[in-house]
């Protein structure tokens, strides 16, 4: 299985072993049906057991916008579920953080492919660069996807048709180029507030919260929610001057009235920013993992980020963030106490006491492919919920039995629906698979199964 989405309430906690953001942030999107460009290939799900898949480029539609983002799959053996919501995240929350892939520089090599291949570079220019005349968009998209799978799913063999000789040659060229030159850096998040939770005493400046935007947003609108303004808080810079806008690197503080009763509030940030190719997207449908994707192009989108504040005149004053640590197969909650008394709470069956002025990590193991929901509570109405599906591995535990017959990819009468992956599973028995399969590119619409790629 692959990546893990970590959410706070309804938003993504975009953080991992090297957290890029501790609070709900970035882009939220839904999968669109159908491969835009691609070609049919086969992939091996068990020794000698090959199934059809269409490798290619498909799309996510940004929630609340008409913007469509082009993506590829980095999770060959898993489904994309019809109703899954996708959130922008960093590589550390995906299988790209696995030690063997970090050592092999899988992420930087995939990033190099995204930057130097289709659709970021058109098929004509790619043909000239590779010396392969007559490349089509389908050839370029299929080869790009297969080259990405070479690094994201290195243990899953793929087989291209002899009918697509140019695509085969271009695949080999891309892989060789990425091996030789692939060292591109991970792109920064479109918008984030770090850390996602801060605390302090009434009368103090509570913070700092740093604004991070990798999308060139120079005018980030920042503010406080109604709870904060009703409590008399003001959002200010480090000198105490009120602020309503910020840019990359800006530090924000909340000025809390002296003697204010214990409470919590939310800092909001909104902007139009460019989300850069190479950002990962993790999906979750009611506690079920949906195939992890990676952005194939840059586009301007409306983005937002949140961070929580807690304050009190005395007693414990809590703050809490969390991150997925795929190397440990766990969610790590980081709790800090800015007050003058011990803060004791229970999370994941563990009772934790954080001393005044201290910070403590709490490691909460989660089984692979398992939904989790951890809530941290404290005085003054403090409550932080971290939820998602831990999905860190590229191995599939739900492949079809070896006795199952290969499943054909029928020719659709209309646009093909998207599906990706390797084996059958998730609610459809192997005996029914042949009758129920809908071929397509990175999602299974109406079926909970291990999919395969196709196109519309």
């Amino acid at each position: 299985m692959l990546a893990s989405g970590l959410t706070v309430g309804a938003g993504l906690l975009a953080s991992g072993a090297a957290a890029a953001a501790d609070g709900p942030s970035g882009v939220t999107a839904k999968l669109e049906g159908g491969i835009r460009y691609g070609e049919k290939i086969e992939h091996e799900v068990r020794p000698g057991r090959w199934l059809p898949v269409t490798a290619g480029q498909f799309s996510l539609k940004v929630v609340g916008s008409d913007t469509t983002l082009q993506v590829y799959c980095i999770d060959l053996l898993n489904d994309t579920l019809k109703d899954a919501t996708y959130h922008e995240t960093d590589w550390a929350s995906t299988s790209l953080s696995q030690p063997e892939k970090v050592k092999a520089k899988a992420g930087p090599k995939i990033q190099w492919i995204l930057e130097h291949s289709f659709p970021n570079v058109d098929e004509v220019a790619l043909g000239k660069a590779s010396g392969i005349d007559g490349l089509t968009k389908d050839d370029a998209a299929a080869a790009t996807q297969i080259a990405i799978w070479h690094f994201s799913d290195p243990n899953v063999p793929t087989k291209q048709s002899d009918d697509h000789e140019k695509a085969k040659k271009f695949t080999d060229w891309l892989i060789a180029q990425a091996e030789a030159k692939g060292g591109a850096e991970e792109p920064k998040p479109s918008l984030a507030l770090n850390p996602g939770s801060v605390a302090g005493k009434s009368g103090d400046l509570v913070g700092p919260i740093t604004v991070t935007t990798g999308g060139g947003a120079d005018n980030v609108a920042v503010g406080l929610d109604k709870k904060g303004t009703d409590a008399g808080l003001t959002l200010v810079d480090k000198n105490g001057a009120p602020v309503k806008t910020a840019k990359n690197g800006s530090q924000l503080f909340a000025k809390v009235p002296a003697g204010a009763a214990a409470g919590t509030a939310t800092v909001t940030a909104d902007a139009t920013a460019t989300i850069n190719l190479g950002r990962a997207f993790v999906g979750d449908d009611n506690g079920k993992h949906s195939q992890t994707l990676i952005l194939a192009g840059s586009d301007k989108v409306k983005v937002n980020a949140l961070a929580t504040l807690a304050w009190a005149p005395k007693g414990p004053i809590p703050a809490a963030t969390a991150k997925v640590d795929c190397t440990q197969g766990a969610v790590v909650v980081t709790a800090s106490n800015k007050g003058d008394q011990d803060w004791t709470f229970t999370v994941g069956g563990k009772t934790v006491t954080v001393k005044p002025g201290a910070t403590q990590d709490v490691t909460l193991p989660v089984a692979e492919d398992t939904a989790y929901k951890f809530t941290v509570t404290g005085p003054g109405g403090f409550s932080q919920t971290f939820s998602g599906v831990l999905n860190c591995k590229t191995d599939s535990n739900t492949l079809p039995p070896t006795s199952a017959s290969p499943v054909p990819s029928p020719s659709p009468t209309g646009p093909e629906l998207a599906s990706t992956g390797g084996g059958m599973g998730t609610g459809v028995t192997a005996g029914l698979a042949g009758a129920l399969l809908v071929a397509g590119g990175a999602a299974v619409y109406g079926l909970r199964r291990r999919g395969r790629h196709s196109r519309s």
Side-chain angles (χ1 to χ4, degrees), residues 204-288:
D204 291 347
L205 293 182
V206 178
I209 298 171
T210 301
V211 178
T212 300
T213 173
D218 294 325
N219 190 26
V220 180
V222 294
L224 292 164
D225 68 352
K226 190 174 185 300
K227 286 174 64 177
T229 56
D230 286 351
L233 274 66
T234 306
L235 199 62
V236 300
D237 62 19
K238 63 182 180 180
N239 298 316
V243 294
K244 293 184 179 180
T245 61
K247 60 183 180 180
N248 185 52
S250 294
Q251 289 191 324
L252 308 176
F253 298 79
K255 186 177 181 179
V256 183
T264 61
T266 301
V267 176
T268 63
D270 297 274
T272 297
T274 298
I275 178 171
N276 295 311
L277 62 80
R279 291 297 291 167
F281 278 82
V282 292
D284 183 350
D285 179 12
N286 293 319
K288 295 181 179 179

Side-chain angles (χ1 to χ4, degrees), residues 20-161:
D22 288 331
S25 63
V27 176
T28 301
K30 289 280 191 178
L31 192 77
E32 288 195 322
I35 282 287
R36 187 171 184 181
Y37 301 108
E39 294 169 346
K40 285 183 172 60
I41 67 165
E42 290 182 294
H43 67 308
E44 190 176 39
V45 295
R46 293 188 188 281
R49 172 91 162 97
W50 294 80
L51 291 179
V53 55
T54 299
Q57 169 202 334
F58 48 105
S59 306
L60 289 173
K61 186 172 183 179
V62 177
V63 172
S65 164
D66 292 330
T67 302
T68 298
L69 304 174
Q70 303 310 311
V71 292
Y72 287 106
C73 162
I74 55 170
D75 193 0
L76 176 54
L77 295 179
N78 280 296
D79 304 353
T80 13
L81 305 181
K82 174 185 175 182
D83 297 319
T85 299
Y86 275 84
H87 301 279
E88 176 190 355
T89 190
D90 59 334
W91 294 351
S93 294
T94 76
S95 72
L96 296 180
S97 68
Q98 292 178 347
E100 65 274 16
K101 292 186 183 179
V102 173
K103 184 177 181 180
K105 297 183 179 180
K109 290 171 184 176
I110 291 171
Q111 183 69 21
W112 188 94
I113 292 171
L114 294 167
E115 291 177 2
H116 294 86
S117 192
F118 188 83
N120 197 47
V121 180
D122 68 43
E123 70 279 9
V124 176
L126 291 172
K128 291 179 179 178
S130 63
I132 303 170
D133 292 334
L135 274 181
T136 66
K137 287 181 170 62
D138 286 332
D139 291 333
T144 301
Q145 177 63 91
I146 298 164
I148 288 170
W149 280 334
H150 176 83
F151 298 107
S152 69
D153 296 78
N155 298 319
V156 185
T158 59
K159 185 190 300 180
Q160 292 169 266
S161 168

Side-chain angles (χ1 to χ4, degrees), residues 181-204:
K181 303 176 181 178
E185 294 184 0
E186 177 180 4
K188 293 180 180 179
S190 56
L191 180 65
L193 295 177
N194 295 304
S197 179
V198 294
K201 287 191 174 182
S202 302
D204 291 347

